Amino acid sequence: MISSKMISAINEQINKELYSAYLYLSMQAWFADQNLDGMANWMNAQSKEEDFHAMKLFDYLIERGARVKLKAIADPTLDFENPLKAFQMALEHERYISKSINELMDLAIKEKDHATKSFLQWFIDEQVEEEASVDRIVNMLKMIGDHGHGLMMIDRELAQRSYSPEDEE
Ligand code: OFO
């Protein structure tokens, strides 16, 4: 039996994941406007991944016979100054999401909810990857500084990313 506290915490997390999708979509729009299509592509894939995270939580609540309650999604930031600032913001955001997932796990442990603990382990592992992939891009952007050629090279690399839910299994 899943507690009402756990249900409402997972509902909050659904909202955070949907906000993540919205934030990355906003970054996609900003990068497209800067003619950095590879970075825009990367953000599009990231946004889809966040939708997948939200739906994984959504489906879990339904599977447990709990009620999903969707809430309003906050306005995302619209302007990001430069590519480094945008990816730094993405990294900060992922750290915040990791903290939130850890708190969900703390609650599942406290409530001795073994099924939710087992379910959340996937998200704990996923957040390690999420932070590492954004951190790598932040470091590359720091290295190239104002070098236009380096920026183009990173943009070309990020154009290669695609997203498919099967990659998550
Ligand atoms: Fe859902 O991991 Fe990013 O936010």
Side-chain angles (χ1 to χ4, degrees):
M1 174 79 184
I2 186 165
S3 74
S4 57
K5 210 166 170 190
M6 198 75 242
I7 293 169
S8 98
I10 294 175
N11 267 312
E12 286 297 331
Q13 191 64 34
I14 292 173
N15 187 267
K16 287 175 190 170
E17 300 291 345
L18 290 173
Y19 174 77
S20 303
Y22 215 32
L23 175 65
Y24 294 134
L25 208 53
S26 183
M27 289 186 181
Q28 178 189 349
W30 185 80
F31 278 120
D33 193 52
Q34 307 294 310
N35 297 313
L36 289 164
D37 294 339
M39 296 189 188
N41 169 69
W42 193 94
M43 287 298 170
N44 176 270
Q46 187 66 19
S47 180
K48 287 182 182 149
E49 197 171 322
E50 299 302 348
D51 277 330
F52 176 83
H53 294 169
M55 287 312 296
K56 203 172 168 73
L57 293 155
F58 183 105
D59 291 342
Y60 179 70
L61 281 187
I62 290 176
E63 207 181 344
R64 299 297 305 275
R67 180 81 167 88
V68 170
K69 289 185 180 164
L70 297 177
K71 296 182 176 162
I73 305 167
D75 287 351
T77 309
L78 296 179
D79 286 307
F80 301 95
E81 231 174 294
N82 59 48
L84 176 60
K85 286 262 164 63
F87 277 96
Q88 277 173 328
M89 186 187 279
L91 182 58
E92 274 320 300
H93 184 70
E94 286 310 320
R95 287 177 177 153
Y96 159 74
I97 293 294
S98 298
K99 188 169 171 280
S100 179
I101 296 285
N102 285 343
E103 286 165 3
L104 277 183
M105 182 62 108
D106 289 343
L107 181 62
I109 291 168
K110 193 169 155 233
E111 306 224 326
K112 298 189 172 68
D113 182 344
H114 296 285
T116 303
K117 264 167 55 187
S118 165
F119 169 73
L120 288 173
Q121 189 57 50
W122 183 91
F123 283 88
I124 300 271
D125 299 340
E126 175 73 1
Q127 280 311 119
V128 174
E129 265 178 51
E130 293 276 277
E131 284 189 36
S133 72
V134 186
D135 194 35
R136 183 177 156 270
I137 300 169
V138 166
N139 285 329
M140 286 196 296
L141 287 168
K142 276 186 185 160
M143 247 179 326
I144 59 141
D146 289 334
H147 226 275
H149 182 65
L151 194 63
M152 284 300 126
M153 276 174 60
I154 297 176
D155 194 58
R156 221 170 298 144
E157 185 196 321
L158 299 188
Q160 306 307 314
R161 184 179 179 190
S162 62
Y163 177 74
S164 146
E166 287 84 55
D167 301 340
E168 303 280 0
E169 301 311 328

